[in-house]
């Protein structure tokens, strides 16, 4: 049995998977800090809050893997999932790690490789918002609505693997919906908004069914089950609202830039206004 | 960002977008009423619950979709509103009309479709629900009437303004 599952409050010795996660997260945060420092030294503008966002995201992953979590076993598991699968990925994605990597890496095979990877066809399909959403929320439905959850609960490595998938899928989904880093194909606010709506609904419905019916093969106390489901539901709401704010804010900024451009080119602006006036007359 | 110091109404080149003001504030109204319903009746009063066991699967799904749409509507509506303000294209009278229409529409939808047609949940349990239903739907109608009156007034005002 891994401590990640018993959550006795006090740490009763960490399993190898937990240690690996913590080391990897700390390593990623260190690399990010070194990169952003290098960028600032050379005079690039790289806001400090991005460093903070990445550090807090990394710390969240470490805490979820190793720290004492609140509530009974099921509630603690849900808190862990919320951090690993939703909150931490959003914070990490907001820090624009790919942009940072592309800017700090010197021209050479490493940078070329990363660029080629970010523009490759498979990545293009992965960061298509609906497919990223399917990997994310589909995995969650599989986990809680098949015997998978009961099977892996007491197996350290499969359990770690599932959490790795939750983290990766969460990162992919946040990356695809927020679309802050450069990729080959960029999707409009409509596609991303509808995806967010579908995922939010699927997440909320799953949380509500978990309130009534536990994952097959498990026996948690009803109070624990209900608290866990509510944590999933309302925690999901918070992250969902944050994601919507990111998408809306990027739309707001982009339309602001377009308006300024139109203002600078009065002929184009006049033509557009003329068209709009004609359209409103036709209504 | 718009850095000019013109006031919202007196700016040259500002043209109020009446329909858009109405639609955007209508969206905000729907989302606000849905959120109010969720916060006041589900959470503070606890009249209906996080999950009603009688709820069928379809109801559960529509409930989840509605809840998420409310959340996204609130966020998106706020940004659309900010965009109208930024472009000095907000028509306040139409905006208020839209807001009240949105409030009333959601309230009526919830009262008729959710409570009565889909029977997702009722307003209250263990009591005669009829007076609650009447209060709920009459409140919705009052909100709708206020919205309609404001809309009529706003459009009359506009016509008078463009005629003079």
């Amino acid at each position: 049995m891994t401590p990640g599952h018993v959550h006795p409050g006090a740490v009763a010795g960490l399993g190898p998977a937990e240690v690996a996660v913590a080391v990897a997260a700390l390593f990623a945060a260190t690399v990010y800090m070194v990169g952003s420092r290098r960028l600032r030294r050379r005079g690039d503008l790289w806001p400090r809050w991005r460093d903070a966002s990445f550090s807090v995201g990394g710390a969240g992953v470490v805490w979820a893997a190793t720290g004492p979590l609140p509530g009974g076993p099921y509630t603690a598991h849900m808190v862990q999932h919320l951090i690993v699968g939703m909150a931490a990925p959003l914070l990490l994605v907001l820090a624009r790690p790919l942009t940072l990597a592309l800017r700090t890496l010197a021209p050479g095979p490493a940078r070329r490789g990363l660029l080629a990877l970010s523009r490759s066809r498979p990545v293009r399909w992965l960061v298509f918002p609906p497919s990223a959403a399917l990997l994310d929320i589909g995995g969650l439905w599989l986990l809680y609505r098949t015997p998978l959850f009961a099977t892996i609960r007491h197996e350290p490595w499969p359990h770690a693997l599932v959490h790795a998938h939750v983290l990766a899928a969460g990162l992919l989904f946040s990356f695809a919906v927020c679309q802050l880093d450069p990729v080959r194909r960029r999707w409009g606010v409509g596609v991303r908004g509808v995806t967010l709506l579908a995922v939010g609904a699927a997440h909320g419905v799953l949380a509500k069914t978990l309130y009534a019916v536990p994952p097959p093969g498990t026996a948690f106390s009803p109070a624990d089950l209900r608290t866990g489901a509510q944590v999933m539901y309302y925690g999901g709401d918070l992250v969902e609202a944050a994601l919507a704010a990111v998408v809306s804010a990027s739309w707001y900024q982009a339309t602001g830039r377009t308006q300024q451009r139109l203002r600078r080119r009065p002929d184009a602006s006049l033509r557009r206004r003329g068209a709009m006036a004609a359209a409103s007359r036709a209504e | 960002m718009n850095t000019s110091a013109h006031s919202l109404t007196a700016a040259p080149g500002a043209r109020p977008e009446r329909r858009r003001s109405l639609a955007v504030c209508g969206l905000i109204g729907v989302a606000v009423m849905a959120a109010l319903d969720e916060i006041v009746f589900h959470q503070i009063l606890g009249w209906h619950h996080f999950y009603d066991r009688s709820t069928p699967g379809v109801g559960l799904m529509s409930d989840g979709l509605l809840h998420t749409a409310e959340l996204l509507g609130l966020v998106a509506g706020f940004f659309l509103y900010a965009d109208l303000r930024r472009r000095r294209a907000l028509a306040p009278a139409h905006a208020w009309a839209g807001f009240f229409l949105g409030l009333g529409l959601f309230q009526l939808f919830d009262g008729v479709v959710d409570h009565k047609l889909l029977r997702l949940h009722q307003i209250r349990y263990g009591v005669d629900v009829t007076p609650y239903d009447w209060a709920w739907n009459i409140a919705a109608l009052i909100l709708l009437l206020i919205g309609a009156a404001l809309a009529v007034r706003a459009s009359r005002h506009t016509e008078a303004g463009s005629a003079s």
Side-chain angles (χ1 to χ4, degrees), chain A residues 80-106:
Chain A
Q80 192 176 33
H81 250 194
L82 208 63
I83 297 169
V84 171
M86 297 186 85
L90 175 61
L91 289 169
L92 294 172
V93 162
L94 280 177
R96 303 173 198 232
L98 180 60
T99 307
L100 180 73
L102 289 174
R103 280 216 223 160
T104 43
L105 282 173

Side-chain angles (χ1 to χ4, degrees), chain A residues 40-95:
Chain A
R40 281 198 202 97
R41 279 233 180 110
R42 100 185 167 196
D44 279 26
L45 198 68
W46 194 261
R48 295 251 172 221
W49 67 260
R50 289 187 192 161
D51 295 28
S53 182
F54 200 88
S55 319
V56 174
V61 173
V62 172
W63 182 57
T66 62
L69 296 165
Y74 186 69
T75 306
H77 165 83
M78 268 309 168
V79 171
Q80 192 176 33
H81 250 194
L82 208 63
I83 297 169
V84 171
M86 297 186 85
L90 175 61
L91 289 169
L92 294 172
V93 162
L94 280 177

Side-chain angles (χ1 to χ4, degrees), chain A residues 193 197 200-201 205 208-209 211-212 226 233-234 237 240 244-245 248-249 251-252 255-256 259-260 276 283, chain B residues 1 15 17 19 38 43 50-51 53 60-61 63-65 67-69 71-72 75-76 79-80 82-83 86-87:
Chain A
L197 182 65
V205 170
K208 280 207 183 188
T209 67
Y211 186 85
R226 289 179 180 180
Y233 189 77
Y234 293 115
D237 272 5
E240 172 96 2
S248 304
W251 169 84
Y252 186 78
T255 49
Q259 283 158 25
Q260 278 193 340
M276 275 165 60
E283 275 172 12
Chain B
M1 288 306 271
R15 60 201 65 225
E17 295 177 17
R19 278 177 183 230
E38 188 109 5
Q43 277 155 32
F50 183 74
Y51 177 67
R53 283 175 180 278
L60 201 61
M61 222 185 90
D63 205 24
L65 198 63
H67 172 78
T68 309
L71 207 63
L72 296 192
V75 176
F79 277 95
L80 288 166
D83 179 56
R86 171 173 69 180
R87 291 188 289 124

Side-chain angles (χ1 to χ4, degrees), chain B residues 73-142:
Chain B
L74 211 54
V75 176
F78 172 76
F79 277 95
L80 288 166
Y81 178 78
D83 179 56
L84 280 171
R85 295 277 313 238
R86 171 173 69 180
R87 291 188 289 124
R88 283 168 270 136
L90 184 75
H94 289 80
W96 278 110
F99 183 67
F100 274 95
L101 285 173
L103 292 177
L105 268 180
F106 181 80
Q107 176 96 340
L108 193 67
F109 173 85
D110 198 34
V112 174
V113 178
D114 282 352
H115 295 171
K116 295 294 130 196
L117 294 179
L118 288 176
R119 299 200 153 267
L120 280 188
H121 51 243
Q122 300 300 321
I123 299 169
R124 253 195 120 159
Y125 293 89
V127 292
D128 180 18
V129 83
T130 318
Y132 288 97
D133 276 340
W134 277 108
W136 190 276
N137 289 324
I138 286 175
L141 283 177
I142 291 173

Side-chain angles (χ1 to χ4, degrees), chain A residues 161-259:
Chain A
L161 208 65
V162 164
H163 266 202
H165 174 267
V166 166
L167 176 63
L171 278 171
L172 182 66
F173 176 67
S174 310
F175 185 91
V177 166
C178 294
Q179 207 174 258
L180 299 166
D181 275 325
V183 283
R184 187 174 202 161
R185 174 78 160 88
R186 304 188 71 81
W187 296 95
V189 81
V191 172
R192 295 184 285 147
V194 170
T195 306
L196 200 52
L197 182 65
V199 165
H203 192 269
V205 170
L206 180 61
K208 280 207 183 188
T209 67
L210 284 171
Y211 186 85
V213 187
T218 61
F220 296 104
S221 75
D224 188 20
L225 190 71
R226 289 179 180 180
T227 315
Q230 294 198 21
V231 163
M232 181 178 177
Y233 189 77
Y234 293 115
D237 272 5
L238 277 181
V239 180
E240 172 96 2
L243 282 167
V246 172
V247 173
S248 304
S250 65
W251 169 84
Y252 186 78
Q253 278 175 352
T255 49
R257 280 195 293 271
T258 311
Q259 283 158 25

